[in-house]
Amino acid sequence: QLQLQESGPGLVKPSETLSLTCNVSGGSISSSSYYWGWIRQPPGKGLEWIGSIYYTGSTYYNPSLKSRVTTSIDTSKNQFSMKLSSVTAADTAVYYCARLNYYDNYPFDYWGQGTLVTVSS
Amino acid sequence: DIQMTQSPSSLSASVGDRVTITCRASQSSSIYLNWYRQKPGKAPELLIHSASTLQSGVPSRFSGSGSGTDFTLTITSLQPEDFATYYCQQSYTAPYTFGQGTKLEIK
């Protein structure tokens, strides 16, 4: 059974960089059938796609965050990561990592449990 | 960006009821439409992909229909675990976008 687990600091200061890693177990991150992505959810609000990455390192991002976000993938460790720079209180959210299934028209079919990141001094 | 609008935003129903949630896209998303259920404090879980395909392991009381800009999620015979928030999401083109959610509450 595929499992995804986010990790990273739960508290980040304004203007600093938020860094998260998603560890994937029970399956290979190098499969050509899947992309890997990040989604966030501010407390009490809806879901926002942040960006996605392929095992080759190819990336695409939400234009609303593109200037501040970078993602990377480490196939040797079976994990991928995200960095969001110049954070503000508006970036406080639960951050999820998820798998996008190419063959099923790109739904997010597996999700991590999510990690709450609070931006505060 | 394709804007996704769900209706209603909230809904009250009883165990055993049949409910329908609607999702409308601001432009065609073909059948690249997915439905998720999110229980409080948990990650969303995929119910339906490609507008009408039931995800493996999901109970058959869930069904989806539609194409283009108009989609529906139907739940027959509501169970206690179905009282949650439901989201539609288009995966036709990036940026992938979600509806604002429909909160299904116990009457």
Side-chain angles (χ1 to χ4, degrees):
Chain A
Q1 175 77 346
L2 189 76
Q3 292 187 321
L4 293 83
Q5 178 69 58
E6 306 88 352
S7 62
L11 180 65
V12 180
K13 290 183 168 55
S15 79
E16 294 190 344
T17 296
L18 180 164
S19 298
L20 296 173
T21 295
C22 182
N23 187 67
V24 179
S25 58
S28 174
I29 202 170
S30 300
S31 171
S32 60
S33 303
Y34 310 111
Y35 284 72
W36 306 91
W38 293 95
I39 301 103
R40 70 179 182 178
Q41 185 172 37
K45 296 188 178 180
L47 299 158
E48 179 182 33
W49 172 71
I50 298 169
S52 294
I53 189 166
Y54 196 47
Y55 78 98
T56 58
S58 174
T59 59
Y60 55 117
Y61 303 124
N62 192 323
S64 68
L65 296 167
K66 186 175 182 178
S67 64
R68 298 195 291 131
V69 67
T70 59
T71 57
S72 60
I73 195 163
D74 188 334
T75 56
S76 67
K77 294 183 179 179
N78 223 40
Q79 61 186 26
F80 60 105
S81 300
M82 180 196 75
K83 293 184 186 296
L84 182 67
S85 64
S86 304
V87 298
T88 69
D91 295 309
T92 293
V94 175
Y95 285 77
Y96 296 100
C97 59
R99 188 181 82 171
L100 286 84
N101 190 326
Y102 171 86
Y103 284 111
D104 288 343
N105 295 326
Y106 295 100
F108 296 104
D109 62 352
Y110 283 90
W111 295 64
Q113 65 184 24
T115 187
L116 174 63
V117 178
T118 301
V119 178
S120 175
S121 56
Chain B
D1 299 7
I2 298 179
Q3 307 302 317
M4 309 301 293
T5 303
Q6 291 180 230
S7 61
S9 295
S10 63
L11 178 60
S12 294
S14 302
V15 173
D17 284 354
R18 176 181 185 273
V19 299
T20 297
I21 299 169
T22 297
C23 179
R24 175 163 287 177
S26 61
Q27 61 191 78
S28 177
S29 61
S30 184
I31 61 164
Y32 289 70
L33 191 285
N34 312 301
W35 289 98
Y36 303 86
R37 174 178 66 182
Q38 185 177 33
K39 299 175 183 176
K42 301 294 186 182
E45 52 182 317
L46 179 65
L47 301 173
I48 302 281
H49 69 82
S50 308
S52 61
T53 303
L54 196 66
Q55 175 69 357
S56 177
V58 173
S60 60
R61 64 180 181 272
F62 293 94
S63 64
S65 65
S67 65
T69 60
D70 294 306
F71 304 89
T72 59
L73 172 70
T74 299
I75 313 170
T76 59
S77 189
L78 279 170
Q79 298 301 298
E81 62 268 27
D82 298 333
F83 293 94
T85 300
Y86 292 82
Y87 293 93
C88 63
Q89 175 245 334
Q90 64 82 18
S91 52
Y92 181 68
T93 186
Y96 304 131
T97 46
F98 293 83
Q100 81 279 16
T102 294
K103 188 173 184 179
L104 178 54
E105 299 174 306
I106 299 176
K107 185 183 290 184

